[in-house]
Amino acid sequence: QSVLTQPPSASGTPGQRVTISCSGTISNLGNNFVYWYQHLPGTTPKLLIYKNNQRPSGVPDRFSGSKSGTSASLAISGLRAEDEADYYCASWDDTLKGSVLFGGGTKLTVL
Amino acid sequence: QVQLVQSGPEVRKPGASVRVSCKTFGYMFTNYYIHWLRQAPGHGLEWMALINPSDGGTTYGRNFQGRVTLSRETSTNTVYLDLNNLKSDDTAVYFCARGIFTVPNYDFWGQGALVTVSS
């Protein structure tokens, strides 16, 4: 069971805007940055958002991230068929000696 | 260019151990942490552990304490993951990833190594 909670699924039609939520606690999202990954089957995960809302070069500005308190969200605007993938949030957790936590993942379907 | 190249697929019986390697190329080995993650069939990404190649310092995930050991070999720019007392639910693809310190900010990944645990 993941400590970072994501909805298992999300969907939208081409052109729509969808958001994926990630809920945590003080020891992870409350005190630390959130990171978002896109994972397509058979490939390695791709970093979409770092430090809550920063995009690595090459990631389209259709992808945006935000965080407030112990919750974060990833927004995808102008949805495209190629956005169909699994999306994961991740954060450092300060509990005990510390560790990295991943959310359970959200399967995005483009209808 | 930066590359992380992992060892090949492995098959083990329950109770056995496995070593997966991650050889790095194209950057200063001691400047970046290496994290290990895995994905079991039908499941999401799970973080396992990290190592600081500069001093060998490690942090292990709570689910893996006592079963996982990370080590590094600076002469070959390689990091090793040892997982012992394997169970069937350890069957997964194991990834190494280059990270900036301890946070999950990974810019390069290994190709993944399938470990199958079956009697």
Side-chain angles (χ1 to χ4, degrees), chain A residues 35 37 39 43-45 47 50 88 90-93 95-100 102-104, chain B residues 35 37 39 43-47 50 59-62 95 102-106 109-111:
Chain A
Y35 300 77
Y37 287 86
H39 193 196
T43 69
T44 56
L47 180 66
Y50 66 99
Y88 296 91
S91 181
W92 178 257
D93 185 280
T95 306
L96 299 175
K97 295 183 180 180
S99 65
V100 170
F102 273 76
Chain B
H35 294 232
L37 304 91
Q39 184 174 35
H43 288 77
L45 294 170
E46 182 179 21
W47 183 82
L50 64 82
T59 299
Y60 299 113
R62 262 174 282 173
F95 294 99
T102 60
V103 295
N105 187 347
Y106 310 131
W109 294 68
Q111 79 275 22

Side-chain angles (χ1 to χ4, degrees), chain B residues 58-70:
Chain B
T58 54
T59 299
Y60 299 113
R62 262 174 282 173
N63 290 346
F64 301 97
Q65 299 259 1
R67 280 212 305 143
V68 166
T69 303
L70 296 189

Side-chain angles (χ1 to χ4, degrees), chain B residues 3 9 13 15-16 19 28 42-44 48 69-71 76 87 89 103 116-117:
Chain B
Q3 280 188 284
K13 293 189 185 304
R19 167 171 278 198
M28 184 69 74
H43 288 77
M48 301 179 67
T69 303
L70 296 189
S71 58
T76 59
K87 310 174 183 62
D89 57 6
V103 295
T116 303
V117 183

Side-chain angles (χ1 to χ4, degrees), chain B residues 45-96:
Chain B
L45 294 170
E46 182 179 21
W47 183 82
M48 301 179 67
L50 64 82
I51 186 168
N52 177 357
S54 179
D55 62 7
T58 54
T59 299
Y60 299 113
R62 262 174 282 173
N63 290 346
F64 301 97
Q65 299 259 1
R67 280 212 305 143
V68 166
T69 303
L70 296 189
S71 58
R72 95 285 193 214
E73 192 172 73
T74 54
S75 61
T76 59
N77 296 341
T78 302
V79 172
Y80 299 96
L81 166 76
D82 290 296
L83 183 61
N84 57 41
N85 192 21
L86 289 166
K87 310 174 183 62
S88 58
D89 57 6
D90 290 318
T91 294
V93 176
Y94 289 75
F95 294 99
C96 60

Side-chain angles (χ1 to χ4, degrees), chain A residues 75-94:
Chain A
I76 309 171
S77 59
L79 199 62
R80 297 184 178 185
E82 59 261 36
D83 297 333
E84 186 161 294
D86 295 320
Y87 292 84
Y88 296 91
C89 59
S91 181
W92 178 257
D93 185 280
D94 297 328

